[in-house]
Amino acid sequence: MASSVVVARSNTNGLEYLAEGARVAWTEASDLAQQFQTVRDATRAAMRLPSRFRAFALPVHEPAN
C-alpha cells in the first residue's frame, strides 16, 4: 500500500520531484518532495502545472523492515 504520493517528472538524470512548499520548483531528493494523500490529489496538482513540465503522480512505498 502506498504511504504517500508525489508529483514527478523525468529528466536526463532520472526523476525530479515537485518540491515541498514551492509552486514550481523541482528537487532530485525524494525526501524533499511535496507529499499528497492520494493519487487523485497528486494528479490534480500535476495537471495544474504548465504542460511543458509533463509531470505525473507517483506512489511512494515505504521500505519493508
Side-chain angles (χ1 to χ4, degrees):
M1 184 81 169
S3 61
S4 63
V5 185
V6 296
V7 173
R9 70 177 183 169
S10 60
N11 68 14
T12 57
N13 297 327
L15 290 177
E16 289 182 318
Y17 306 95
L18 186 63
E20 179 73 39
R23 180 167 168 114
V24 184
W26 300 94
T27 180
E28 292 183 0
S30 61
D31 58 330
L32 299 177
Q34 182 174 353
Q35 304 286 312
F36 295 89
Q37 292 289 325
T38 65
V39 173
R40 182 179 180 178
D41 292 339
T43 300
R44 184 179 302 128
M47 294 298 110
R48 289 182 176 161
L49 295 170
S51 62
R52 70 181 179 271
F53 292 124
R54 297 182 184 243
F56 54 91
L58 179 69
V60 178
H61 296 274
E62 292 285 329
N65 290 328

